[in-house]
Amino acid sequence: EPEVTQTPSHQVTQMGQEVILRCVPISNHLYFYWYRQILGQKVEFLVSFYNNEISEKSEIFDDQFSVERPDGSNFTLKIRSTKLEDSAMYFCASSDGGAWETQYFGPGTRLLVL
Amino acid sequence: SQQGEEDPQALSIQEGENATMNCSYKTSINNLQWYRQNSGRGLVHLILIRSNEREKHSGRLRVTLDTSKKSSSLLITASRAADTASYFCATDSSYYGGYQKVTFGIGTKLQVIP
């Protein structure tokens, strides 16, 4: 069964450093998402992406964050200058429809900012 | 107010018993999805129920939706130790034809004791 994959599974970085989290969505999906989950808290929506542009973003997704689909298969989340509070599990998701359809999640990247 | 609040927040049962988890939400929705998360791992999609559906089954899972009460329940029958996980409901309240924005609840931690 097709699945969303994410790399790396774990990343440790120093505060102020840039990180890029990578995702390979399910191949025929057109809608892509990033979520994060701070330890012990709920999963929070960050951004949705369709047709090579951001379709919606939350208040968490400030100027330090950016997303890109650099080629036909990858979908990346970049954090320009990491803060301690960016430490979280980051999940990528994809769906083959927009509203109304199931989102399939990747296994997540655990980011630790020191 | 928070969309998608599950109760109970924690549930402990014996293997073989049924587990029922509830989710309440505040705004009208297009669909509601249930996900499972094993400790520190990714989100596994279990079932999606649309706003015009009242009940859905998938294996040992039964989901109901009552839009008049803005609530949903997830029933796991004949539970197994492997069902031990956190269970989240996620609501999609985006406008029709728009881009999906899924809001997660804080989850129910289910422990199934062998």
Side-chain angles (χ1 to χ4, degrees), chain B:
Chain B
S1 61
Q2 292 190 12
Q3 191 80 333
E5 298 192 13
E6 294 91 336
D7 78 85
Q9 290 195 10
L11 180 61
S12 184
I13 59 172
Q14 295 289 329
E15 202 166 31
E17 292 180 340
N18 295 341
T20 299
M21 288 159 271
N22 302 298
C23 168
S24 61
Y25 56 91
K26 298 197 185 303
T27 63
S28 59
I29 60 170
N30 301 317
N31 62 52
L32 185 146
Q33 303 176 68
W34 284 92
Y35 289 85
R36 185 185 76 221
Q37 184 181 37
N38 289 77
S39 180
R41 308 291 294 276
L43 292 155
V44 175
H45 182 260
L46 296 176
I47 205 162
L48 178 151
I49 187 165
R50 300 195 190 284
S51 58
N52 61 351
E53 296 174 312
R54 291 296 164 257
E55 188 170 312
K56 227 167 170 182
H57 296 256
S58 177
R60 293 183 296 113
L61 306 180
R62 174 178 166 248
V63 168
T64 62
L65 179 65
D66 186 336
T67 52
S68 65
K69 294 181 180 173
K70 293 187 168 56
S71 67
S72 173
S73 68
L74 169 67
L75 168 68
I76 304 173
T77 59
S79 63
R80 304 168 183 162
D83 295 328
T84 295
S86 290
Y87 291 83
F88 297 88
C89 70
T91 54
D92 168 23
S93 52
S94 49
Y95 59 90
Y96 180 70
Y99 303 106
Q100 193 174 42
K101 178 182 170 181
V102 169
T103 303
F104 281 81
I106 200 151
T108 293
K109 279 192 182 169
L110 173 66
Q111 182 186 30
V112 181
I113 302 165

Side-chain angles (χ1 to χ4, degrees), chain A residues 77-94:
Chain A
L77 174 70
K78 183 194 288 187
I79 309 175
R80 267 180 265 282
S81 177
T82 50
K83 307 184 192 90
L84 297 176
E85 54 265 36
D86 293 328
S87 295
M89 182 79 104
Y90 287 81
F91 293 106
C92 172
S94 70

Side-chain angles (χ1 to χ4, degrees), chain A residues 2 6 10 12 17-18 21 24-25 27 32 37 48 55 59 65 67 71 82 89 92 95 103 105:
Chain A
Q6 290 185 243
H10 293 78
V12 181
Q17 295 294 304
E18 174 184 285
L21 310 182
V24 178
S27 63
F32 314 114
Q37 185 182 31
S48 58
S55 47
E59 55 274 10
F65 291 88
V67 289
D71 53 44
T82 50
M89 182 79 104
C92 172
S95 74
Q103 289 189 12
F105 282 74

Side-chain angles (χ1 to χ4, degrees), chain A residues 17-101:
Chain A
Q17 295 294 304
E18 174 184 285
V19 295
I20 297 177
L21 310 182
R22 291 185 166 78
C23 168
V24 178
I26 294 172
S27 63
N28 63 337
H29 285 185
L30 299 175
Y31 298 81
F32 314 114
Y33 310 86
W34 282 101
Y35 293 80
R36 79 170 185 193
Q37 185 182 31
I38 294 171
L39 190 64
Q41 297 187 24
K42 60 168 72 177
V43 176
E44 301 173 288
F45 170 80
L46 292 178
V47 67
S48 58
F49 190 87
Y50 170 72
N51 201 26
N52 283 320
E53 60 182 24
I54 290 173
S55 47
E56 188 165 359
K57 58 185 181 180
S58 71
E59 55 274 10
I60 303 167
F61 194 89
D62 62 22
D63 291 344
Q64 293 301 310
F65 291 88
S66 62
V67 289
E68 197 178 29
R69 187 151 162 83
D71 53 44
S73 58
N74 290 283
F75 180 52
T76 62
L77 174 70
K78 183 194 288 187
I79 309 175
R80 267 180 265 282
S81 177
T82 50
K83 307 184 192 90
L84 297 176
E85 54 265 36
D86 293 328
S87 295
M89 182 79 104
Y90 287 81
F91 293 106
C92 172
S94 70
S95 74
D96 61 2
W100 312 96
E101 297 301 325

